[in-house]
Amino acid sequence: MCVRFSPDDRVIATSQFDGTITVTDTATLTPKMEFSIPQVHGHRQPATSLCFRPMGRPTMLVTCSSGLISLYDFRTGELLHSSHEQDNEVYCSDYKPDGTVFATAGRDAHVRLYDESTGAITRMLNAAAEMSSSPTAERIYSV
């Protein structure tokens, strides 16, 4: 589903349709770790986006089509924090360059800004008002 390099280019992470995340050493091309995002209603969900915190602690942000947002320590696979965007499919995410804020967007055409340390939404932007009346046009696939 997606691929991202870590900020130091030492690892590359890939996400698969079944919610599996693989972290691979870029020097040796050897998988260092593999883990799965939590199941939702007993089913694995596609991991639709992932990104690394650009500085500071080694955190990877993973989103999935069920609206699940998870922060992991990408060295160990430990789940650090998890939240859920109710009634939304999250398709994309990214960090602010200083790592203090991350953004998500998806099916409901809202861009949500989160405080990375608390996981709280600090701002929400509605892009749907600017888009056409087509339901498929009212989605955001990149942020």
Side-chain angles (χ1 to χ4, degrees):
M1 297 289 294
C2 57
V3 178
R4 283 282 180 101
F5 282 95
S6 65
D8 62 7
D9 293 330
R10 291 186 182 174
V11 297
I12 189 169
T14 59
S15 70
Q16 288 77 42
F17 190 76
D18 69 353
T20 301
I21 309 296
T22 304
V23 179
T24 302
D25 184 291
T26 56
T28 64
L29 300 180
T30 307
K32 294 181 79 159
M33 169 186 16
E34 186 172 284
F35 61 94
S36 295
I37 59 175
Q39 293 186 5
V40 177
H41 305 297
H43 295 68
R44 296 241 180 254
Q45 299 294 314
T48 52
S49 76
L50 57 85
C51 59
F52 290 93
R53 189 175 204 270
M55 57 178 33
R57 67 176 174 246
T59 304
M60 182 177 13
L61 171 64
V62 180
T63 66
C64 80
S65 61
S66 67
L68 184 66
I69 301 164
S70 303
L71 295 169
Y72 293 91
D73 180 317
F74 69 83
R75 296 171 306 177
T76 64
E78 176 190 1
L79 178 63
L80 303 172
H81 177 75
S82 175
S83 63
H84 187 255
E85 290 185 9
Q86 201 67 12
D87 300 320
N88 192 27
E89 295 175 6
V90 181
Y91 300 143
C92 53
S93 61
D94 205 359
Y95 269 98
K96 183 177 172 186
D98 68 4
T100 60
V101 174
F102 65 86
T104 65
R107 187 189 72 203
D108 70 359
H110 286 76
V111 176
R112 290 170 179 83
L113 302 179
Y114 288 83
D115 178 291
E116 202 264 354
S117 64
T118 65
I121 296 172
T122 59
R123 191 153 189 207
M124 189 162 55
L125 310 166
N126 182 355
E130 304 296 322
M131 299 178 169
S132 77
S133 60
S134 168
T136 57
E138 295 176 359
R139 296 173 189 212
I140 298 175
Y141 295 99
S142 179
V143 66

